[in-house]
Amino acid sequence: MRKYLFILKSEFMSSLQYVFNILFGFIGYAVILFVFFQLWQYLYSDPNELINGYTMNEMVWYIIVTEILWSSLGGRKFCTKICNDIKSGNIAYNLCKPYSYIGYALSSHLGSIIIKTVIYILLGMVMGFIFLGEFPAISISSIIVVSISSLLALVISTLLILMIGLFSFKIEDAQPFYWLYSKFILIIGTLFPIEFFPEIVRPILGYSPIFAICYGPAKLFVHFDFFYGLQVIGIQILYLIIVYFLCLCLYKKGVKKLNVNGG
């Protein structure tokens, strides 16, 4: 565990050199928030009106949280790195290292996005307050539970992208699969809560990764309930275990293929 914490710390220190690039990338995030603030302001005749259980302010805060979790992740760059490691054969150099490639990739990526996530959280909260003039009801317990859930969401998202990248062991390039995955998460996961979809698909979305990486943490932020938070975290832990073992299986099969083919 210590070696992975060292990798995470090293990547974090390296990412501090690119703070201005992160701030520049915030422009796209700000534009998305502004557009959807205008959209929901138009759709809600009264800010206190309920649409599928959400007021206008709650909808805007929901989008702010989901966009923070998704925009700060840097998924495309991470997936490209995994695919390039496999295609170029660089992944073979990790076989003799005293750590797991999956643990290395996970800790390295999380370390590189810490400062980006913190900046997005701060700027997202400021923009939300400017737009709406208020925060959702916040308490110490809600801050702790939402923070734990958001951290788990980032870890699960990273593992899911790693899993997609590891498909490059079987196909030439897995990046088209990431493109489809990212559009699926963007359209269905980050912009609308599950309650806004037809009832027939709500149970499916409720068991999908969308619940663990977007919907669960965001709903906790706007509609906090301690026991619901424990349920969300429990589901996220289950997802984390499942996705980790899927990554492990793909990696072991890929390494076995490399060994059979002579490296």
Side-chain angles (χ1 to χ4, degrees):
M1 180 60 70
R2 186 178 299 176
K3 51 195 170 189
Y4 298 118
L5 290 175
F6 178 79
I7 293 170
L8 186 147
K9 180 182 176 181
S10 299
E11 289 295 332
F12 169 70
M13 298 302 295
S14 177
S15 68
L16 291 176
Q17 304 176 35
Y18 305 101
V19 173
F20 288 106
N21 290 345
I22 295 172
L23 291 173
F24 183 76
F26 182 77
I27 294 175
Y29 172 72
V31 169
I32 291 175
L33 295 187
F34 178 77
V35 168
F36 275 88
F37 175 71
Q38 299 299 322
L39 172 64
W40 290 117
Q41 197 174 40
Y42 175 78
L43 292 176
Y44 279 86
S45 57
D46 178 0
N48 295 317
E49 176 188 0
L50 286 177
I51 298 180
N52 293 330
Y54 292 82
T55 64
M56 184 191 77
N57 286 14
E58 289 170 343
M59 273 304 311
V60 174
W61 280 116
Y62 179 91
I63 293 173
I64 288 174
V65 173
T66 55
E67 284 296 324
I68 287 172
L69 293 174
W70 182 248
S71 299
S72 64
L73 192 62
R76 183 174 64 84
K77 182 179 179 181
F78 180 52
C79 185
T80 300
K81 179 182 181 302
I82 301 300
C83 292
N84 288 341
D85 279 350
I86 295 173
K87 288 191 296 182
S88 65
N90 285 338
I91 197 170
Y93 293 107
N94 289 275
L95 299 181
C96 57
K97 300 289 185 180
Y99 52 70
S100 160
Y101 178 78
I102 294 174
Y104 164 77
L106 177 62
S107 55
S108 173
H109 183 67
L110 290 178
S112 69
I113 66 171
I114 289 175
I115 187 66
K116 184 177 182 181
T117 304
V118 171
I119 291 174
Y120 270 50
I121 290 172
L122 294 176
L123 296 178
M125 295 299 108
V126 169
M127 286 192 65
F129 188 78
I130 292 173
F131 284 157
L132 305 172
E134 64 178 11
F135 293 105
I138 296 176
S139 64
I140 295 177
S141 60
S142 68
I143 292 174
I144 294 173
V145 174
V146 172
S147 297
I148 293 173
S149 179
S150 298
L151 177 60
L152 287 171
L154 289 173
V155 174
I156 295 167
S157 291
T158 301
L159 285 173
L160 284 169
I161 296 169
L162 173 59
M163 184 177 71
I164 293 172
L166 290 174
F167 276 109
S168 292
F169 276 122
K170 295 184 174 295
I171 58 178
E172 185 175 349
D173 190 356
Q175 291 186 73
F177 289 96
Y178 172 76
W179 185 87
L180 292 173
Y181 168 77
S182 64
K183 298 303 176 282
F184 174 78
I185 296 296
L186 176 65
I187 297 172
I188 300 180
T190 64
L191 302 183
F192 302 99
I194 290 176
E195 290 87 351
F196 277 69
F197 292 92
E199 290 188 13
I200 192 171
V201 300
R202 289 180 193 174
I204 299 173
L205 297 177
Y207 288 105
S208 72
I210 288 173
F211 183 93
I213 66 177
C214 297
Y215 174 79
K219 186 173 182 180
L220 275 178
F221 185 76
V222 299
H223 289 161
F224 180 75
D225 178 85
F226 183 77
F227 294 103
Y228 179 70
L230 294 180
Q231 179 185 346
V232 171
I233 290 173
I235 293 173
Q236 288 179 312
I237 292 174
L238 180 62
Y239 251 104
L240 189 152
I241 294 171
I242 292 173
V243 178
Y244 174 79
F245 278 103
L246 287 174
C247 288
L248 197 60
C249 289
L250 284 171
Y251 177 71
K252 286 185 176 180
K253 287 185 178 180
V255 168
K256 185 177 180 181
K257 184 177 179 182
L258 286 177
N259 292 332
V260 168
N261 293 328

mmCIF file of all heavy atoms in Angstrom, residues 182-198:
data_model
loop_
_atom_site.group_PDB
_atom_site.id
_atom_site.type_symbol
_atom_site.label_atom_id
_atom_site.label_comp_id
_atom_site.label_asym_id
_atom_site.label_seq_id
_atom_site.Cartn_x
_atom_site.Cartn_y
_atom_site.Cartn_z
ATOM 1 N N SER A 182 -18.225 7.315 -22.820
ATOM 2 C CA SER A 182 -18.250 8.701 -22.336
ATOM 3 C C SER A 182 -19.522 9.427 -22.753
ATOM 4 O O SER A 182 -20.092 10.198 -21.978
ATOM 5 C CB SER A 182 -17.022 9.468 -22.840
ATOM 6 O OG SER A 182 -17.037 9.575 -24.255
ATOM 7 N N LYS A 183 -19.994 9.159 -23.978
ATOM 8 C CA LYS A 183 -21.232 9.797 -24.439
ATOM 9 C C LYS A 183 -22.433 9.238 -23.676
ATOM 10 O O LYS A 183 -23.377 9.969 -23.373
ATOM 11 C CB LYS A 183 -21.401 9.593 -25.945
ATOM 12 C CG LYS A 183 -20.294 10.218 -26.774
ATOM 13 C CD LYS A 183 -20.196 11.713 -26.491
ATOM 14 C CE LYS A 183 -19.037 12.376 -27.215
ATOM 15 N NZ LYS A 183 -17.744 12.120 -26.557
ATOM 16 N N PHE A 184 -22.394 7.953 -23.373
ATOM 17 C CA PHE A 184 -23.466 7.330 -22.586
ATOM 18 C C PHE A 184 -23.543 7.966 -21.197
ATOM 19 O O PHE A 184 -24.630 8.335 -20.722
ATOM 20 C CB PHE A 184 -23.211 5.829 -22.477
ATOM 21 C CG PHE A 184 -24.172 5.095 -21.579
ATOM 22 C CD1 PHE A 184 -25.446 4.780 -22.011
ATOM 23 C CD2 PHE A 184 -23.800 4.720 -20.293
ATOM 24 C CE1 PHE A 184 -26.338 4.097 -21.179
ATOM 25 C CE2 PHE A 184 -24.669 4.050 -19.451
ATOM 26 C CZ PHE A 184 -25.957 3.740 -19.904
ATOM 27 N N ILE A 185 -22.392 8.123 -20.543
ATOM 28 C CA ILE A 185 -22.365 8.721 -19.216
ATOM 29 C C ILE A 185 -22.768 10.187 -19.273
ATOM 30 O O ILE A 185 -23.523 10.678 -18.418
ATOM 31 C CB ILE A 185 -20.965 8.586 -18.587
ATOM 32 C CG1 ILE A 185 -20.616 7.110 -18.368
ATOM 33 C CG2 ILE A 185 -20.881 9.358 -17.274
ATOM 34 C CD1 ILE A 185 -21.514 6.413 -17.373
ATOM 35 N N LEU A 186 -22.291 10.908 -20.285
ATOM 36 C CA LEU A 186 -22.597 12.334 -20.402
ATOM 37 C C LEU A 186 -24.089 12.578 -20.566
ATOM 38 O O LEU A 186 -24.689 13.390 -19.852
ATOM 39 C CB LEU A 186 -21.837 12.943 -21.585
ATOM 40 C CG LEU A 186 -22.138 14.416 -21.888
ATOM 41 C CD1 LEU A 186 -21.681 15.298 -20.729
ATOM 42 C CD2 LEU A 186 -21.478 14.842 -23.188
ATOM 43 N N ILE A 187 -24.708 11.848 -21.492
ATOM 44 C CA ILE A 187 -26.109 12.103 -21.823
ATOM 45 C C ILE A 187 -27.053 11.535 -20.774
ATOM 46 O O ILE A 187 -27.999 12.190 -20.329
ATOM 47 C CB ILE A 187 -26.444 11.523 -23.216
ATOM 48 C CG1 ILE A 187 -25.615 12.239 -24.288
ATOM 49 C CG2 ILE A 187 -27.932 11.659 -23.515
ATOM 50 C CD1 ILE A 187 -25.727 11.625 -25.672
ATOM 51 N N ILE A 188 -26.789 10.306 -20.350
ATOM 52 C CA ILE A 188 -27.722 9.628 -19.441
ATOM 53 C C ILE A 188 -27.314 9.798 -17.984
ATOM 54 O O ILE A 188 -28.174 9.852 -17.095
ATOM 55 C CB ILE A 188 -27.821 8.125 -19.798
ATOM 56 C CG1 ILE A 188 -28.321 7.967 -21.238
ATOM 57 C CG2 ILE A 188 -28.738 7.391 -18.842
ATOM 58 C CD1 ILE A 188 -28.447 6.543 -21.697
ATOM 59 N N GLY A 189 -26.020 9.916 -17.722
ATOM 60 C CA GLY A 189 -25.572 9.927 -16.340
ATOM 61 C C GLY A 189 -25.464 11.288 -15.690
ATOM 62 O O GLY A 189 -25.857 11.467 -14.541
ATOM 63 N N THR A 190 -24.909 12.280 -16.407
ATOM 64 C CA THR A 190 -24.575 13.549 -15.750
ATOM 65 C C THR A 190 -25.633 14.631 -15.900
ATOM 66 O O THR A 190 -25.745 15.505 -15.038
ATOM 67 C CB THR A 190 -23.240 14.102 -16.293
ATOM 68 O OG1 THR A 190 -23.386 14.411 -17.690
ATOM 69 C CG2 THR A 190 -22.118 13.100 -16.118
ATOM 70 N N LEU A 191 -26.400 14.606 -16.959
ATOM 71 C CA LEU A 191 -27.291 15.736 -17.244
ATOM 72 C C LEU A 191 -28.666 15.610 -16.614
ATOM 73 O O LEU A 191 -29.323 16.623 -16.362
ATOM 74 C CB LEU A 191 -27.431 15.927 -18.761
ATOM 75 C CG LEU A 191 -26.121 16.180 -19.519
ATOM 76 C CD1 LEU A 191 -26.396 16.414 -20.990
ATOM 77 C CD2 LEU A 191 -25.373 17.377 -18.924
ATOM 78 N N PHE A 192 -29.128 14.391 -16.380
ATOM 79 C CA PHE A 192 -30.470 14.196 -15.833
ATOM 80 C C PHE A 192 -30.455 13.117 -14.750
ATOM 81 O O PHE A 192 -29.800 12.084 -14.919
ATOM 82 C CB PHE A 192 -31.457 13.777 -16.930
ATOM 83 C CG PHE A 192 -31.564 14.764 -18.060
ATOM 84 C CD1 PHE A 192 -30.876 14.558 -19.244
ATOM 85 C CD2 PHE A 192 -32.352 15.897 -17.936
ATOM 86 C CE1 PHE A 192 -30.960 15.468 -20.289
ATOM 87 C CE2 PHE A 192 -32.449 16.805 -18.975
ATOM 88 C CZ PHE A 192 -31.751 16.596 -20.150
ATOM 89 N N PRO A 193 -31.197 13.324 -13.656
ATOM 90 C CA PRO A 193 -31.348 12.257 -12.655
ATOM 91 C C PRO A 193 -32.157 11.097 -13.228
ATOM 92 O O PRO A 193 -32.865 11.248 -14.231
ATOM 93 C CB PRO A 193 -32.123 12.948 -11.518
ATOM 94 C CG PRO A 193 -31.986 14.410 -11.761
ATOM 95 C CD PRO A 193 -31.843 14.569 -13.243
ATOM 96 N N ILE A 194 -32.046 9.950 -12.590
ATOM 97 C CA ILE A 194 -32.768 8.759 -13.053
ATOM 98 C C ILE A 194 -34.270 8.994 -13.091
ATOM 99 O O ILE A 194 -34.971 8.459 -13.951
ATOM 100 C CB ILE A 194 -32.421 7.562 -12.139
ATOM 101 C CG1 ILE A 194 -30.960 7.134 -12.367
ATOM 102 C CG2 ILE A 194 -33.345 6.371 -12.396
ATOM 103 C CD1 ILE A 194 -30.491 6.028 -11.433
ATOM 104 N N GLU A 195 -34.791 9.831 -12.184
ATOM 105 C CA GLU A 195 -36.237 10.084 -12.124
ATOM 106 C C GLU A 195 -36.785 10.727 -13.380
ATOM 107 O O GLU A 195 -37.998 10.719 -13.609
ATOM 108 C CB GLU A 195 -36.563 10.989 -10.922
ATOM 109 C CG GLU A 195 -36.383 10.324 -9.579
ATOM 110 C CD GLU A 195 -34.970 10.434 -9.040
ATOM 111 O OE1 GLU A 195 -34.095 10.880 -9.807
ATOM 112 O OE2 GLU A 195 -34.738 10.075 -7.879
ATOM 113 N N PHE A 196 -35.924 11.285 -14.226
ATOM 114 C CA PHE A 196 -36.383 11.966 -15.433
ATOM 115 C C PHE A 196 -36.540 11.018 -16.622
ATOM 116 O O PHE A 196 -36.962 11.440 -17.692
ATOM 117 C CB PHE A 196 -35.421 13.104 -15.805
ATOM 118 C CG PHE A 196 -35.673 14.369 -15.045
ATOM 119 C CD1 PHE A 196 -35.402 14.447 -13.683
ATOM 120 C CD2 PHE A 196 -36.200 15.489 -15.674
ATOM 121 C CE1 PHE A 196 -35.647 15.602 -12.964
ATOM 122 C CE2 PHE A 196 -36.444 16.661 -14.968
ATOM 123 C CZ PHE A 196 -36.167 16.711 -13.612
ATOM 124 N N PHE A 197 -36.195 9.763 -16.428
ATOM 125 C CA PHE A 197 -36.300 8.787 -17.512
ATOM 126 C C PHE A 197 -37.589 7.972 -17.348
ATOM 127 O O PHE A 197 -38.171 7.926 -16.261
ATOM 128 C CB PHE A 197 -35.079 7.868 -17.511
ATOM 129 C CG PHE A 197 -33.814 8.572 -17.892
ATOM 130 C CD1 PHE A 197 -32.992 9.142 -16.917
ATOM 131 C CD2 PHE A 197 -33.450 8.699 -19.217
ATOM 132 C CE1 PHE A 197 -31.837 9.815 -17.269
ATOM 133 C CE2 PHE A 197 -32.285 9.367 -19.584
ATOM 134 C CZ PHE A 197 -31.487 9.926 -18.608
ATOM 135 N N PRO A 198 -38.060 7.334 -18.435
ATOM 136 C CA PRO A 198 -39.287 6.520 -18.348
ATOM 137 C C PRO A 198 -39.171 5.458 -17.259
ATOM 138 O O PRO A 198 -38.084 4.924 -17.005
ATOM 139 C CB PRO A 198 -39.385 5.886 -19.746
ATOM 140 C CG PRO A 198 -38.632 6.815 -20.640
ATOM 141 C CD PRO A 198 -37.513 7.375 -19.810
#
